[in-house]
Amino acid sequence: MSRNYKKLAALMLCSGLVLSACGGGNSNTNSQAQSAKSGTTAEAENVKAKITWLNLLHTASPPTDKVLSKIEEATHAEIEFSWVPDASKEERINTSLASGSLSDIVTLTILDNSSVRNALKAGMFWEVSPYLDEFPNLAAISQDTRNSASIEGKLYGVPFQKAKARNGVIIRKDWLDKLGMAVPKTTAELLEIAKAFTEKDPDSNGKKDTTGFMDRSDLVYGAFKTLGSYFGTPNVWAVDDAGIMTPEFETESYIQTMDYMRASFEGGYINQDFAVTAKNDQQQNFAQGKAGIYVGALFDSKNLLNMSKGIQDNMELVMVNDITSTGNEADRAIWAGTNGIGGLLSFPKSEVKDEKELKRILKFVNDIMNDDVYALMTYGIQDVHYTVDADMAVTIKDTDLWQQEVQPFSSSRPKEVGYKIHDADPLKVEAEKLIEENANYAVLNPAYSLESETNTTQGSELQKIVTDATYKYILGKIDLAGYKSEIEKWEKSGGSMIISEYEAAYKAINP
């Protein structure tokens, strides 16, 4: 009987998600399992810890056991995964929380879900702050990251550490060279490049068929928010020393960003349908040579270049991450998406019975953050799934095999940055370097971990007022007075209450 089949059978027999939650069995066996999990006896130190993990699956099927066995060997643990398809995660996690069908480790990525937040605040999961500094990899988690991942000042799990600030500007270097233009350092220089790419035939085909910016209908992950950083716009919210909160769209820098986008639109330096363009269409259009500036995630450069093969074979790209509106290094800034938090690895008290068990599981989480386990979960087994050169650059040997046996583990890594082993692709290497550099200039959202009941219940509806007003201003359908009128509508419809609630929550943990 295969190992995967045995896992499935056990799950079905126990009518739950977690093997350790099953009742019955020999009491001595249960005692040994508990001892192995907690590591409380000298004998248990020679036995693999038995750890169950309710985890998300971002691929079509779970991985085989080939890589898993290597991870278990490296962490001295026996891991039983209960995989939840990402598409149904909210429903499954809500059901598991309500029924108590949990695991030793529960992956929680939807921290804004009311059921998840209520479960965390209700004390269903261990508060881990007192224990992190006992383990070297966990101790290295910054205080900013811990604060951002906390709820009402308490950290109910190990944060998934994502790259804090992934965005920048990707430009056609071959077009810059053709027009004799330098890589921009300011927003004004970037706009001049956009104008030249629109008006000076950078692809030399004798037609006026190119634009500067190629953007999409997304004020966050498209161009707008990154450009906003260059003008000094706060990341969603700003807070002063007195704890007064100001939404980004009520700042002068937000208006400057709208003016910049409006000038680009009126001059024709941006695709005129950007407000209704999907991401895939944006990338396809860029790859087809219809524009020369892409503002978004820096690691998109590799995909854009790959997409251009056979269409724009002369395409060369340069990535820029140090643009400001003033030209002053001191003003350099870039917004941090979700403050670099991808969720939590949380530990329910119903499964993890005491501090000894908790510490053994925290040790396991610490161990999967080691370089060797990161390599296993990212690239697989050396010389089976990949080869590596003297510079620790990786080349995947068989993409299909990697996707089947390795890729499902990649979303389980508690930390994604700061490792020696890396992708061999030059654009990917450069993107990772710039993204790591971005962290030094990342602007956090001070309200990311705060509670606002009004925002929970009305936030999406109210945000639509702001989004619509922003697009209308950029497209020239309303003037500044009209924009401010819409912001007043936001305040009267519940925005003022959101501000008050966030201020109260901020002051409660920052007295």
Side-chain angles (χ1 to χ4, degrees):
M1 182 182 293
S2 72
R3 181 174 176 180
N4 283 336
Y5 182 85
K6 287 189 285 184
K7 291 180 186 177
L8 179 61
L11 291 173
M12 294 174 64
L13 287 171
C14 296
S15 301
L17 292 171
V18 187
L19 294 176
S20 65
C22 303
N26 183 279
S27 60
N28 183 52
T29 301
N30 288 342
S31 175
Q32 290 175 351
Q34 288 289 87
S35 188
K37 182 192 293 185
S38 61
T40 57
T41 67
E43 181 182 357
E45 291 179 1
N46 296 316
V47 178
K48 286 188 174 184
K50 298 182 184 295
I51 296 173
T52 57
W53 189 345
L54 180 58
N55 201 11
L56 301 185
L57 182 67
H58 293 266
T59 56
S61 59
T64 64
D65 291 337
K66 183 181 293 185
V67 175
L68 176 59
S69 63
K70 294 292 185 180
I71 296 172
E72 290 178 328
E73 181 180 336
T75 59
H76 201 59
E78 184 176 318
I79 313 160
E80 295 288 354
F81 281 106
S82 293
W83 295 103
V84 175
D86 184 65
S88 59
K89 63 185 175 185
E90 190 157 5
E91 177 185 355
R92 289 285 300 275
I93 292 297
N94 287 345
T95 299
S96 296
L97 291 172
S99 65
S101 300
L102 299 169
S103 300
D104 300 327
I105 304 173
V106 179
T107 296
L108 299 174
T109 60
I110 43 176
L111 298 183
D112 57 349
N113 175 282
S114 58
S115 296
V116 170
R117 294 186 80 85
N118 289 336
L120 293 170
K121 291 190 294 183
M124 287 181 62
F125 295 87
W126 282 89
E127 207 277 316
V128 301
S129 296
Y131 310 101
L132 296 186
D133 290 342
E134 298 181 28
F135 308 91
N137 292 327
L138 303 183
I141 299 173
S142 71
Q143 193 58 52
D144 279 343
T145 297
R146 299 185 194 195
N147 291 343
S148 294
S150 296
I151 294 178
E152 296 182 340
K154 294 185 177 181
L155 184 60
Y156 294 105
V158 174
F160 278 99
Q161 299 173 76
K162 305 286 186 179
K164 281 187 178 179
R166 305 178 301 178
N167 285 32
V169 180
I170 301 169
I171 306 175
R172 287 285 298 260
K173 183 180 183 300
D174 54 318
W175 287 9
L176 287 177
D177 294 344
K178 161 75 165 45
L179 300 179
M181 303 186 79
V183 173
K185 291 293 186 180
T186 67
T187 50
E189 292 172 355
L190 182 63
L191 190 61
E192 282 300 310
I193 290 171
K195 180 180 179 181
F197 283 179
T198 305
E199 298 177 349
K200 295 186 177 181
D201 192 22
D203 59 356
S204 302
N205 69 352
K207 301 177 182 179
K208 193 175 181 180
D209 58 357
T210 58
T211 61
F213 295 101
M214 180 59 64
D215 197 23
R216 65 179 183 263
S217 179
D218 190 333
L219 293 178
V220 179
Y221 297 103
F224 186 81
K225 195 168 182 67
T226 296
L227 292 173
S229 292
Y230 302 156
F231 284 97
T233 305
N235 187 4
V236 188
W237 291 89
V239 60
D240 64 16
D241 293 339
I244 303 301
M245 307 285 289
T246 303
E248 61 181 353
F249 48 80
E250 290 189 0
T251 63
E252 182 61 31
S253 51
Y254 190 94
I255 295 172
Q256 289 178 315
T257 308
M258 290 197 299
D259 286 337
Y260 188 88
M261 291 284 286
R262 184 167 177 158
S264 300
F265 179 76
E266 290 176 347
Y269 313 146
I270 188 171
N271 53 308
Q272 298 293 282
D273 60 351
F274 80 93
V276 293
T277 297
K279 179 180 179 180
N280 184 63
D281 292 332
Q282 175 202 21
Q283 295 186 340
Q284 290 286 352
N285 289 339
F286 185 92
Q288 291 167 12
K290 296 180 180 180
I293 304 172
Y294 178 99
V295 185
L298 289 164
F299 54 65
D300 284 343
S301 57
K302 178 180 177 180
N303 185 45
L304 293 171
L305 193 64
N306 287 339
M307 291 169 67
S308 75
K309 300 303 182 185
I311 307 171
Q312 292 281 304
D313 287 330
N314 294 325
M315 180 184 285
E316 294 180 54
L317 300 177
V318 60
M319 290 172 280
V320 192
N321 72 336
D322 58 355
I323 294 173
T324 66
S325 62
T326 64
N328 296 325
E329 174 73 13
D331 295 325
R332 186 172 167 185
I334 183 66
W335 66 283
T338 66
N339 286 12
I341 307 300
L344 294 172
L345 288 177
S346 295
F347 318 105
K349 294 178 180 177
S350 60
E351 310 304 318
V352 183
K353 301 297 185 182
D354 54 37
E355 286 188 343
K356 289 182 178 178
E357 286 189 25
L358 176 64
K359 288 183 179 182
R360 178 60 186 93
I361 293 172
L362 285 173
K363 181 183 183 303
F364 166 76
V365 175
N366 177 85
D367 291 347
I368 62 175
M369 294 166 68
N370 288 337
D371 278 89
D372 58 338
V373 184
Y374 170 83
L376 286 167
M377 299 178 78
T378 306
Y379 301 111
I381 302 169
Q382 186 174 346
D383 297 325
V384 175
H385 301 102
Y386 71 92
T387 58
V388 61
D389 65 18
D391 295 323
M392 302 299 288
V394 168
T395 300
I396 299 298
K397 296 182 65 174
D398 183 330
T399 300
D400 290 338
L401 183 65
W402 175 84
Q403 289 175 338
Q404 179 185 6
E405 298 185 344
V406 185
Q407 189 179 19
F409 290 112
S410 63
S411 60
S412 306
R413 300 166 301 178
K415 179 185 173 186
E416 294 185 353
V417 294
Y419 292 95
K420 296 176 183 177
I421 195 168
H422 58 271
D423 196 292
D425 183 271
L427 276 178
K428 184 71 178 298
V429 172
E430 179 67 10
E432 290 178 349
K433 173 188 171 185
L434 297 181
I435 289 170
E436 185 175 356
E437 184 181 288
N438 273 352
N440 298 320
Y441 305 93
V443 179
L444 303 182
N445 172 8
Y448 180 75
S449 66
L450 302 181
E451 295 282 320
S452 164
E453 181 62 28
T454 304
N455 190 59
T456 299
T457 58
Q458 297 178 241
S460 297
E461 178 184 348
L462 291 172
Q463 183 58 41
K464 190 174 186 301
I465 297 173
V466 178
T467 300
D468 289 347
T470 301
Y471 276 120
K472 287 178 181 177
Y473 184 87
I474 293 171
L475 298 176
K477 296 181 178 180
I478 59 174
D479 58 12
L480 185 56
Y483 172 78
K484 290 184 176 179
S485 176
E486 290 299 298
I487 299 308
E488 289 178 9
K489 178 181 176 182
W490 175 85
E491 291 178 346
K492 293 176 181 178
S493 302
S496 294
M497 185 63 69
I498 292 176
I499 293 173
S500 297
E501 290 169 356
Y502 274 144
E503 287 178 347
Y506 182 84
K507 291 173 183 176
I509 59 175
N510 297 279

